[in-house]
């Protein structure tokens, strides 16, 4: 199975990353110091540091083409799902401006063809497996992830959000009370990025395989819509 490449040296003292350098930007904490570190296994810590380094460097210099090229050299296309999952965990504790730039980073990876739809679904699914645990550390994780999901949808990486309703039983999110909340929040972000009709089409397409919903699911969907004041989605 293709793995995230780890043949880059540690970051320079200035925190920059290039084809020869990797590591965290100056002033950024490493995964080891993060309260979210328990969601990362030892085997993924080192590769993740290099992925996050490329992301951090983009936050500093806004050079998207260079960041995408570095990611091409760091991560095999078939390992981008794991890179996406890890980078989402890392971005949760960043500031609003950096989260906005992260969405541009993802859009660049999708438009370049390096982050495919298949790998996007794979990475999101793996991340969502720990969603209910992460929300303890990051109460606003739903808002942050909805923005990421909407970005991937608008970039063309996701056809709809039906994968959230089709996760295998071993994925903890398949039992989560937050599924419909995340779908609705993501659609609301899409409405803000484009229009309400597109957002409604997204929800309709996402629920197609689960229609009709059972009573509990319908109640969860209705509550999520009411909470977001997004009656236009129904």
């Amino acid at each position: 199975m293709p793995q995230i490449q780890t043949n880059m040296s540690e970051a320079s003292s200035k925190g920059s990353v290039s084809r020869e350098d990797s590591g965290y930007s100056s002033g950024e904490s490493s995964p080891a110091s993060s309260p979210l570190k328990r969601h990362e296994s030892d085997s993924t810590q080192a590769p993740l540091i290099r992925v996050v380094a490329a992301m951090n460097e983009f936050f500093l210099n806004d050079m998207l083409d260079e960041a995408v090229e570095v990611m091409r050299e760091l991560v095999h296309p078939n390992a981008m799902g794991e890179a996406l999952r890890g980078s989402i965990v890392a971005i949760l504790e960043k500031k609003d401006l950096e989260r906005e730039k992260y969405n541009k980073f993802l859009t660049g990876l999708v438009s370049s063809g390096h982050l495919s739809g298949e790998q996007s679904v794979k990475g999101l699914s793996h991340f969502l497996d720990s969603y209910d645990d992460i929300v303890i550390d990051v109460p606003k994780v739903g808002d942050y992830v909805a923005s990421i999901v909407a970005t991937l949808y608008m970039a063309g990486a996701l056809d709809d959000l039906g994968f959230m309703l089709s996760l295998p039983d071993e994925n903890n999110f398949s039992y989560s009370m937050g599924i419909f909340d995340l779908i609705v929040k993501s659609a609301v972000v899409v409405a803000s990025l484009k229009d309400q009709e597109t957002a409604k089409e997204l929800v309709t397409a996402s629920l197609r395989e689960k229609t009709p919903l059972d009573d509990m699911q319908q109640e969860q969907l209705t509550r999520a819509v009411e909470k977001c004041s997004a009656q236009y989605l129904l």
Side-chain angles (χ1 to χ4, degrees):
M1 178 180 295
Q3 300 292 324
I4 299 175
Q5 300 300 312
T6 60
N7 61 346
M8 297 180 73
S9 63
E10 295 183 354
S12 66
S13 60
K14 293 183 180 180
S16 62
V17 61
S18 66
R19 295 164 181 77
E20 293 79 27
D21 301 313
S22 66
Y24 275 82
S25 301
S26 178
E28 298 291 348
S29 60
S30 68
S33 65
S34 167
L36 296 175
K37 68 179 180 179
R38 62 179 173 274
H39 303 295
E40 298 298 328
S41 66
D42 291 340
S43 64
T44 61
Q45 285 272 342
L48 175 59
I49 288 177
R50 290 158 175 79
V51 168
V52 174
M55 181 176 75
N56 285 339
E57 182 68 8
F58 169 65
F59 296 162
L60 292 174
N61 63 24
D62 289 320
M63 298 177 65
L64 183 57
D65 290 345
E66 179 179 308
V68 170
E69 183 60 28
V70 171
M71 287 295 292
R72 285 184 179 278
E73 297 189 2
L74 278 175
V75 188
H76 189 280
N78 290 342
M80 278 299 295
E82 184 62 20
L84 173 62
R85 183 203 60 80
S87 67
I88 293 175
V89 172
I91 200 62
L92 295 180
E93 295 182 311
K94 299 289 189 179
K95 297 179 180 179
D96 290 345
L97 178 59
E98 291 169 318
R99 283 194 292 272
E100 290 177 9
K101 289 187 176 183
Y102 177 68
N103 288 341
K104 294 179 181 178
F105 180 67
L106 291 183
T107 299
L109 290 172
V110 173
S111 64
S112 71
H114 194 56
L115 176 57
S116 67
E118 178 183 2
Q119 289 298 310
S120 294
V121 169
K122 181 177 180 180
L124 287 170
S125 298
H126 286 184
F127 169 81
L128 291 173
D129 185 41
S130 301
Y131 183 89
D132 286 347
D133 291 330
I134 292 176
V135 75
I136 297 172
D137 294 320
V138 188
K140 296 185 70 174
V141 63
D143 296 330
Y144 300 156
V145 176
S147 178
I148 293 170
V149 170
T151 294
L152 290 171
Y153 173 72
M154 293 300 294
L158 303 175
D159 293 331
D160 55 55
L161 310 183
F163 73 93
M164 294 187 193
L165 296 168
S166 304
L167 294 170
D169 291 344
E170 57 267 26
N171 189 305
N172 291 316
F173 195 66
S174 65
Y175 302 102
S176 176
M177 297 293 288
I179 295 178
F180 290 99
D181 185 62
L182 183 55
I183 289 175
V184 169
K185 284 185 174 181
S186 300
V188 169
V189 176
V190 168
S192 70
L193 294 174
K194 193 168 184 181
D195 54 55
Q196 293 183 358
E197 185 61 31
T198 299
K200 181 176 181 178
E201 291 173 357
L202 171 60
V203 171
T204 299
S206 300
L207 300 180
R208 186 171 293 126
E209 296 300 322
K210 288 294 182 179
T211 302
L213 301 177
D214 61 36
D215 291 344
M216 180 178 293
Q217 291 173 328
Q218 187 61 55
E219 181 179 356
Q220 291 173 351
L221 175 61
T222 300
R223 286 182 179 178
V225 167
E226 291 176 348
K227 188 188 303 183
C228 294
S229 299
Q231 284 74 12
Y232 59 85
L233 293 176
L234 298 179

